[in-house]
Amino acid sequence: MATFKVPFPAPSPVEDAELLRKAFQGWGTDEKIVIAILAHRDAKQRLQIQEAYQDLYNEDLATKLQSELSGEFERAMYLWIFNPVDREAMIANAAMKKGLDYRVIVEVACISSTNELLKVKQAYQALFMHSLEEDLASKTSGNLRQLLVGLVSTYRFDGKEVDTELASVEADALHDAIKNKASGYDEAIRILTTRSKAQLNATFNKYKDEHGTSISKDLATGLPDPFFSAMRIAVRCTVSHQKYLEKLLRRSLNEAEEDVDDNLCRVIVTRAEKDLQEIKDMYEKRATNETLAHALERKASGHHRSFLLALVGN
Amino acid sequence: MATFKVPFPAPSPVEDAELLRKAFQGWGTDEKIVIAILAHRDAKQRLQIQEAYQDLYNEDLATKLQSELSGEFERAMYLWIFNPVDREAMIANAAMKKGLDYRVIVEVACISSTNELLKVKQAYQALFMHSLEEDLASKTSGNLRQLLVGLVSTYRFDGKEVDTELASVEADALHDAIKNKASGYDEAIRILTTRSKAQLNATFNKYKDEHGTSISKDLATGLPDPFFSAMRIAVRCTVSHQKYLEKLLRRSLNEAEEDVDDNLCRVIVTRAEKDLQEIKDMYEKRATNETLAHALERKASGHHRSFLLALVGN
């Protein structure tokens, strides 16, 4: 469920565009108006506002927002203004600039449904004139390449059908790969990158039943290694991406980490229109005596804070 | 250009279905009528005839054809009756039964455009309740798996844009992989499976310019090996699939090979509605003093011959 509130009836896109124009005029921008409008419009409405703004002022609203706003607030608003599919494509592309943030790539690949991922890849090509696969493959190598490129490439079967015998065989193959590293990871990569989500969930359940620990826990032991970490994120996003994102959010809000604000902003902006309510409920169940809104008030500041609070429904 | 002839105006699907029904009745089937109708209807018309047949007689025409016909003629007609996308999915699935015919998989992956391949994968899932990727990955291993699964997985960029510097760098990487086998094939697989067809063609041209021989020739030297052979077919289908298919046809018609008839039937049935005219023209230019029709008369027999002759436009 989405978290932010949309007024009903909403003003027309032209009214919104005119108000935004006013907010940009004069000395400094009135960020409050920008938030009051854009944080309370859904993807379709935001697109209509962009179109109205272009028609009225012959100017691109996204570019205008970039020049009028700054810092974290600008980055968050620039992501928000786009439709979810273009936004995911932009997030994936950004994750390959300045080094590779494989965690974001795994999220994009494993949280999306088969057809959502296809649309993201189509949007990626329209925006960047390359395939996501070729850009990713050229920036990675070895097992990590095989895993990541496999995750974004496969057009997975989306059905609920499960083969329990196969689940058992492949649970053993995964266990063998994780525990007995000498045998290589080809089979583990094959299973994680090609099986349907329903089949994988059955396999992960068999893994726990037959080997006593969850695959996610087994992947967490040992030295930190991007390949193992990427496999673990793929598993966690396949089991419950909300649970995974809640943990990201919780760490961002409660620990001093380098990438805290990227994660915080990405989770809130990308999920606000989808299932942030479920993630918020999970957060509030797990964090003692603190609502997500309180945590954001404590952690973020300025317009960035106001914007995120509006997106989470405060 | 297609080769077979469709009457204009064509009889209605109901008339065709009724005539087919008559052809099936009595002692033995009148194969001439079956060919006279079905070899002269395009994919849309064949679908309408299937629907009319189902409505009129509450029976599946494809299944009926299987039971009424036999041998090579039955197999050819059974492929022909379906629309091209379902047919490709069925061909790919069959290529993984009884061993793996990797050549067919490479053809399906590399001849189709990006969106055609996507539709084939969607049809595959609807027909077999699995993804093509998972079935293929579970039946292969090592470099061959990486190559084949990569070829069917990637949603390739379909644009005409070419980066000539990149083409030069990747031509060297391919040359290095092929000539200096110790360095492994990861880079060659990455390039062949993820780059756009336009970019690959530029790369293959650079390869020949910079290294003196074509990549296809370099891949043909050495011991026969499925992985090298699959790379070579991928290259040839990317450069000119018509040229590749013409060669297949020529070998089928002029050499005694095990898989001759499969290739012959597959090339004619799958291309009759697309570009068989171009392939036929190439054939007739290369084969001395023989039209494709003459070669088919010599090589095939019975109803199978009549059917193939009708498909090639005789």
Side-chain angles (χ1 to χ4, degrees):
Chain A
M1 215 177 82
T3 40
F4 63 99
K5 293 174 187 75
V6 176
F8 183 81
S12 77
V14 168
E15 287 174 280
D16 281 341
E18 286 171 347
L19 253 178
L20 283 169
R21 178 70 166 192
K22 266 186 210 149
F24 298 146
Q25 277 165 342
W27 195 77
T29 296
D30 190 337
E31 284 91 352
K32 280 184 190 164
I33 295 185
V34 175
I35 295 170
I37 297 174
L38 292 174
H40 299 281
R41 300 292 182 274
D42 64 27
K44 197 178 158 192
Q45 293 168 329
R46 297 196 303 278
L47 176 67
Q48 290 170 334
I49 296 171
Q50 282 184 289
E51 288 168 352
Y53 196 93
Q54 180 73 45
D55 286 351
L56 287 169
Y57 309 113
N58 197 22
E59 193 173 40
D60 177 49
L61 178 59
T63 315
K64 184 71 178 168
L65 285 166
Q66 271 195 311
S67 74
E68 292 289 329
L69 312 178
S70 65
E72 291 170 330
F73 177 45
E74 174 213 323
R75 285 201 296 279
M77 184 57 90
Y78 187 74
L79 276 184
W80 175 246
I81 189 79
F82 290 99
N83 70 63
V85 162
D86 285 339
R87 185 197 297 139
E88 291 287 312
M90 292 159 69
I91 287 174
N93 185 261
M96 293 185 286
K97 299 259 168 78
K98 294 185 277 173
L100 171 82
D101 192 343
Y102 62 85
R103 296 163 305 175
V104 172
I105 299 292
V106 179
E107 280 176 32
V108 171
C110 297
I111 295 179
S112 310
S113 72
T114 298
N115 281 316
E116 281 167 356
L117 180 58
L118 171 66
K119 283 182 195 153
V120 170
K121 295 200 287 184
Q122 288 170 332
Y124 190 100
Q125 295 191 10
L127 288 166
F128 306 109
M129 307 304 275
H130 276 148
S131 67
L132 172 54
E133 287 94 328
E134 69 187 306
D135 285 350
L136 183 57
S138 68
K139 283 175 198 292
T140 46
S141 65
N143 284 332
L144 187 63
R145 175 197 285 168
Q146 267 198 63
L147 177 69
L148 296 181
V149 176
L151 291 175
V152 303
S153 302
T154 303
Y155 187 73
R156 279 184 208 265
F157 179 58
D158 232 353
K160 298 282 160 256
E161 290 79 2
V162 161
D163 178 337
T164 49
E165 258 178 70
L166 184 71
S168 187
V169 171
E170 298 194 337
D172 289 347
L174 286 170
H175 188 259
D176 191 54
I178 296 167
K179 292 293 179 180
N180 177 17
K181 307 188 179 188
S183 63
Y185 299 106
D186 279 9
E187 284 297 284
I189 293 169
R190 171 185 68 75
I191 295 165
L192 294 177
T193 58
T194 67
R195 292 301 183 194
S196 72
K197 289 187 181 178
Q199 182 67 33
L200 283 176
N201 273 297
T203 302
F204 301 155
N205 287 336
K206 282 277 181 193
Y207 188 106
K208 184 153 188 207
D209 290 350
E210 289 169 15
H211 303 285
T213 10
S214 73
I215 179 170
S216 169
K217 240 179 218 151
D218 277 348
L219 282 167
T221 55
L223 290 173
D225 166 77
F227 171 60
F228 265 64
S229 159
M231 282 204 284
R232 185 157 182 259
I233 298 170
V235 167
R236 292 173 67 197
C237 288
T238 303
V239 174
S240 166
H241 70 263
Q242 283 103 347
K243 225 166 134 183
Y244 170 76
L245 295 175
E246 186 275 334
K247 181 88 179 278
L248 269 196
L249 209 55
R250 193 144 37 90
R251 283 174 52 195
S252 298
L253 290 166
N254 297 294
E255 287 170 33
E257 286 190 24
E258 256 181 51
D259 56 1
V260 156
D261 298 309
D262 270 5
N263 286 343
L264 183 62
C265 164
R266 192 175 71 257
V267 173
I268 290 178
V269 170
T270 60
R271 307 315 296 181
E273 212 153 350
K274 291 176 176 166
D275 51 10
L276 190 55
Q277 187 61 50
E278 289 78 354
I279 297 169
K280 190 176 157 186
D281 291 345
M282 280 181 190
Y283 179 88
E284 295 179 358
K285 223 179 243 175
R286 304 221 32 170
T288 38
N289 292 325
E290 196 178 44
T291 63
L292 180 58
H294 279 142
L296 285 171
E297 271 167 16
R298 175 170 54 71
K299 187 82 185 181
S301 62
H303 302 302
H304 187 227
R305 169 161 67 190
S306 314
F307 180 46
L308 295 183
L309 283 170
L311 289 185
V312 305
N314 271 71
Chain B
M1 215 178 81
T3 40
F4 63 99
K5 294 174 186 76
V6 176
F8 183 79
S12 77
V14 168
E15 287 173 278
D16 281 341
E18 287 170 345
L19 253 178
L20 283 169
R21 177 70 166 190
K22 268 185 209 150
F24 298 145
Q25 279 166 340
W27 195 79
T29 297
D30 189 337
E31 284 91 352
K32 281 185 189 164
I33 295 185
V34 175
I35 294 170
I37 297 174
L38 291 175
H40 299 282
R41 301 294 182 272
D42 64 27
K44 198 178 156 191
Q45 292 168 329
R46 296 196 304 278
L47 176 66
Q48 289 170 335
I49 296 171
Q50 282 185 289
E51 288 168 351
Y53 195 92
Q54 179 73 46
D55 287 351
L56 287 170
Y57 310 112
N58 196 24
E59 195 173 39
D60 177 49
L61 179 58
T63 314
K64 183 72 179 168
L65 285 165
Q66 270 194 311
S67 73
E68 293 289 330
L69 313 178
S70 66
E72 291 171 331
F73 176 44
E74 174 213 323
R75 285 201 298 279
M77 184 58 89
Y78 189 74
L79 276 183
W80 174 247
I81 190 79
F82 290 99
N83 71 62
V85 163
D86 284 340
R87 187 196 297 138
E88 291 287 312
M90 290 158 69
I91 287 174
N93 185 261
M96 293 184 286
K97 298 257 168 80
K98 294 185 277 172
L100 172 82
D101 192 343
Y102 62 85
R103 296 161 305 174
V104 172
I105 299 292
V106 178
E107 280 177 31
V108 171
C110 297
I111 295 179
S112 311
S113 72
T114 297
N115 282 316
E116 281 167 356
L117 180 57
L118 171 65
K119 282 181 195 152
V120 171
K121 295 199 286 182
Q122 288 169 332
Y124 190 99
Q125 294 192 10
L127 288 166
F128 306 109
M129 308 303 276
H130 277 147
S131 67
L132 172 55
E133 287 93 329
E134 68 187 309
D135 284 350
L136 183 57
S138 68
K139 282 173 198 296
T140 46
S141 65
N143 285 330
L144 187 63
R145 174 197 285 168
Q146 267 197 68
L147 178 68
L148 296 181
V149 175
L151 291 175
V152 303
S153 303
T154 303
Y155 188 74
R156 280 184 208 264
F157 179 58
D158 231 354
K160 298 280 160 257
E161 290 79 0
V162 160
D163 179 337
T164 50
E165 256 178 73
L166 184 71
S168 187
V169 171
E170 297 195 337
D172 290 347
L174 286 170
H175 189 259
D176 192 52
I178 295 167
K179 291 292 179 185
N180 177 17
K181 305 185 182 192
S183 63
Y185 299 106
D186 278 10
E187 282 299 285
I189 293 169
R190 172 185 69 74
I191 294 165
L192 294 176
T193 59
T194 67
R195 292 301 184 196
S196 73
K197 290 187 181 178
Q199 182 67 34
L200 283 176
N201 273 297
T203 301
F204 301 154
N205 288 336
K206 282 277 180 192
Y207 189 106
K208 183 151 192 207
D209 290 351
E210 288 169 16
H211 303 285
T213 9
S214 73
I215 178 169
S216 168
K217 242 180 216 149
D218 276 348
L219 282 168
T221 55
L223 292 173
D225 166 78
F227 171 61
F228 265 64
S229 160
M231 282 203 286
R232 185 156 183 258
I233 298 170
V235 167
R236 293 173 67 197
C237 288
T238 304
V239 173
S240 166
H241 70 263
Q242 282 103 348
K243 225 167 134 182
Y244 170 76
L245 295 176
E246 186 275 333
K247 182 87 179 280
L248 269 197
L249 210 55
R250 192 146 36 90
R251 281 174 53 194
S252 298
L253 290 166
N254 297 295
E255 286 170 36
E257 285 190 25
E258 255 181 53
D259 56 0
V260 155
D261 297 310
D262 271 6
N263 286 343
L264 183 63
C265 164
R266 192 175 70 256
V267 173
I268 291 180
V269 170
T270 60
R271 308 316 296 181
E273 211 153 352
K274 293 177 175 164
D275 51 11
L276 189 55
Q277 187 60 50
E278 289 78 352
I279 297 169
K280 189 175 157 184
D281 292 345
M282 280 183 190
Y283 180 88
E284 294 179 357
K285 222 179 244 172
R286 304 221 34 173
T288 39
N289 292 325
E290 195 177 44
T291 63
L292 181 56
H294 279 143
L296 284 173
E297 272 167 16
R298 174 171 52 71
K299 187 81 185 180
S301 63
H303 303 302
H304 186 227
R305 169 162 67 190
S306 314
F307 179 46
L308 295 183
L309 283 170
L311 289 186
V312 304
N314 269 72

